[in-house]
Amino acid sequence: MNIAELVRYLKKRFVRIAVFPLRLFPVRNNRVLLINDMSSSFADNLKYIGLELKKRDRDFEVIYSGHALKCVEQLNNLGIIPVELNSIRYFYYGLTSKFVITNSGGISYLPLKRKQISINTWHGGGAYKKMGMDMYEDTKMFRKDLILAAKETDYVLATCE
């Protein structure tokens, strides 16, 4: 068993318990959280989903999260709320957004409610893309980690059945 994987898994379990009280706040049906946990820029599928939501309905509250966001001014100019990944604001928005859309993960820390919808855009499509256990060494702890995220995922965009 890899100690680093065990610590990571236990950390996720602890955070899920610690942020659980935020579930007392109501889910806002017009709120969408876009999670880009692999980047600090406004990019990929999430960028275009966010732009399209703002274009179609200005009443949508779109929140964009990532690591050390380098695009805060750009997001503010577009009317999109920037949030640092794993900050208290991230967890608040994560537990009060009707839709949580990610391109690779980042939701295993969130104890989502049943009325929330989680979508993984998986960075796109094509038979060449890998995800989950195909990307990293298959260990018991990594498998448990993936199960946490899978339990919170309602839909995955894919280019095949």
Side-chain angles (χ1 to χ4, degrees):
M1 177 184 310
N2 184 330
I3 296 298
E5 284 181 354
L6 176 61
V7 169
R8 180 178 167 196
Y9 176 77
L10 292 174
K11 176 182 164 187
K12 287 183 180 191
R13 285 301 213 180
F14 173 77
V15 169
R16 287 176 64 88
I17 292 166
V19 301
F20 199 83
L22 293 175
R23 289 171 49 111
L24 294 173
F25 292 98
V27 170
R28 303 239 337 241
N29 288 331
N30 68 330
R31 182 175 285 164
V32 178
L33 173 64
L34 306 172
I35 305 171
N36 191 349
D37 70 336
M38 304 291 277
S39 178
S40 62
S41 64
F42 186 46
D44 301 322
N45 290 342
L46 298 178
K47 174 182 179 177
Y48 297 100
I49 290 170
L51 292 174
E52 189 64 26
L53 286 171
K54 293 305 281 184
K55 180 176 139 185
R56 288 185 184 216
D57 188 348
R58 299 301 279 173
D59 290 335
F60 258 111
E61 185 178 20
V62 178
I63 297 94
Y64 190 85
S65 66
H67 288 293
L69 289 175
K70 297 176 183 174
C71 52
V72 171
E73 188 175 330
Q74 177 189 13
L75 291 169
N76 285 331
N77 291 338
L78 293 168
I80 296 173
I81 301 167
V83 175
E84 182 69 27
L85 194 68
N86 296 331
S87 67
I88 192 69
R89 288 180 67 215
Y90 163 79
F91 290 110
Y92 169 76
Y93 284 124
L95 296 173
T96 59
S97 295
K98 175 67 176 185
F99 302 95
V100 177
I101 305 173
T102 179
N103 65 359
S104 66
I107 61 170
S108 56
Y109 289 97
L110 295 172
L112 298 176
K113 301 174 191 174
R114 284 191 185 128
K115 58 179 126 182
Q116 292 180 278
I117 297 171
S118 171
I119 303 168
N120 187 332
T121 65
W122 185 47
H123 280 299
Y128 57 88
K129 294 294 242 177
K130 293 182 178 183
M131 65 187 292
M133 290 184 292
D134 290 334
M135 292 175 58
Y136 304 104
E137 184 180 340
D138 182 9
T139 66
K140 184 178 179 181
M141 279 296 112
F142 184 62
R143 192 176 293 242
K144 283 185 171 199
D145 193 14
L146 287 177
I147 289 170
L148 275 179
K151 285 182 179 179
E152 299 296 349
T153 303
D154 296 306
Y155 301 99
V156 175
L157 296 184
T159 55
C160 62
E161 290 180 31

